[in-house]
Amino acid sequence: MTDFLVIGECVADIVRVPGRADVPHPGGSPANVAYGLARLDRPVTLFTQLGRDAMGGLIGAHLRSAGVRVLTDGRPEVRTPTAVVTLDGEGRASYAFDFDWTLRPVELPAAPRHVHLGSVAAVREPGATTVVALAGRLRADASVSYDPNIRPALSGSRAEARAGVERCVALSDLVKASDEDLAWLYPGEPVRQVADRWLAAGPAVVVVTRGGDGAVCFTRSAEVACPAVRTAVVDTVGAGDSFMSATLDALAARSLLGGPARPALASLDGPTLAEILRHAVLAAALTVSRAGANPPDAAELREREA
């Protein structure tokens, strides 16, 4: 059994800042989560599609440099997705995509303790069918997390996106979403109301990140908020993914992942939730303090928490 299986896309983020040359960065929300877990010394496999092109080579080398095991579906004709990331004067990112997702099933080398689903790959067909079917098969023995990480340009209509997201929410034990995700999916609906509905669908924990306002965690019996760690922001690329990796790292450290741990995850108390949020918020703060999706490693995070 391996600790983590992340299923989802790799994307080459081509960062564009006015007055500067374009700079390509390895990216894609699930790939970033896998990379972040490896940086935190967690054994992780990423099941993805990766083109045999320059951007695919860049991303593959980046992932393997941290220790991520990369598993693809072997399609030789795929093109590595790209996203032109334009940063405004405050480091906020907007995206323009060239993206296809046609993932097909493969035989896994080992059964995972935890499965993480992410972003476009979990809702964009035809590959989303493979993602959801695999997660459904594995969840008998593995816990499941999900981050919708909404990209409106790739999500279809709001109704289509909502249906895909809610299908993944129902499969999951832990869901992390940003307040921007929820505002797009459910315009005008209070965060607490969305969280309650998602909790009723199956997850034990729903976490909502709020940028500079930190994060809030909901369970069926608790609501815990954590302020952001103040830092100078270079850009916000990968911050949510770093938060996700650190959340999973904190849960793993407390033996709260895996199918048999579901009852313990569902009974998390407020103080423990607060500790987990602080760990994740710090990881996100370190990520935004430098360019690109560059999460902290285990030693850096331990040093800052000391």
Side-chain angles (χ1 to χ4, degrees):
M1 176 173 282
T2 188
D3 277 10
F4 290 95
L5 173 69
V6 178
I7 312 172
E9 71 269 13
C10 294
V11 180
D13 289 331
I14 301 170
V15 178
R16 182 166 295 166
V17 178
R20 303 182 192 173
D22 289 355
V23 179
H25 291 280
S29 177
N32 291 342
V33 171
Y35 183 80
L37 284 167
R39 294 267 290 169
L40 295 173
D41 298 332
R42 298 294 176 184
V44 57
T45 297
L46 174 66
F47 178 33
T48 190
Q49 287 188 303
L50 206 55
R52 297 177 184 176
D53 48 30
M55 292 302 179
L58 173 74
I59 295 171
H62 168 75
L63 291 166
R64 295 182 182 99
S65 73
V68 178
R69 180 173 184 173
V70 180
L71 175 67
T72 74
D73 66 355
R75 288 178 181 255
E77 74 279 10
V78 301
R79 184 176 69 254
T80 302
T82 60
V84 175
V85 185
T86 303
L87 301 176
D88 67 14
E90 296 181 1
R92 291 185 297 253
S94 59
Y95 297 81
F97 293 93
D98 178 6
F99 191 102
D100 287 310
W101 181 247
T102 58
L103 191 73
R104 61 186 177 187
V106 300
E107 195 66 34
L108 296 177
R113 189 179 312 279
H114 182 82
V115 178
H116 175 71
L117 311 179
S119 196
V120 181
V123 296
R124 188 174 176 89
E125 298 294 1
T129 294
T130 298
V131 175
V132 172
L134 181 56
R137 178 167 63 84
L138 293 172
R139 77 178 307 276
D141 299 307
S143 49
V144 179
S145 58
Y146 170 56
D147 178 1
N149 194 44
I150 295 295
R151 296 289 178 249
L154 296 173
S155 297
S157 71
R158 186 174 278 106
E160 291 168 335
R162 191 181 297 135
V165 166
E166 291 175 354
R167 177 174 65 167
C168 294
V169 167
L171 279 173
S172 301
D173 300 287
L174 165 70
V175 179
K176 192 280 288 183
S178 70
D179 52 2
E180 292 179 347
D181 293 334
L182 299 188
W184 189 86
L185 284 166
Y186 307 102
E189 189 168 348
V191 167
R192 174 81 237 196
Q193 186 171 309
V194 176
D196 284 344
R197 190 166 62 253
W198 281 5
L199 289 167
V205 181
V206 172
V207 181
V208 179
T209 57
R210 305 183 293 188
D213 292 325
V216 59
C217 180
F218 303 95
T219 69
R220 293 178 183 86
S221 59
E223 177 179 336
V224 178
C226 180
V229 174
R230 298 303 169 189
T231 189
V233 176
V234 174
D235 68 51
T236 61
V237 178
D241 304 322
S242 180
F243 183 102
M244 185 79 248
S245 299
T247 299
L248 295 176
D249 175 62
L251 291 169
R254 293 163 175 79
S255 301
L256 290 168
L257 297 180
R262 281 196 175 99
L265 183 66
S267 61
L268 273 173
D269 59 27
T272 304
L273 289 167
E275 291 175 2
I276 292 166
L277 285 181
R278 283 194 293 270
H279 186 72
V281 163
L282 176 58
L286 291 169
T287 302
V288 302
S289 71
R290 50 218 187 190
N294 184 11
D297 63 19
E300 183 181 11
L301 207 46
R302 283 195 301 268
E303 179 181 350
R304 288 294 300 269
E305 288 179 319

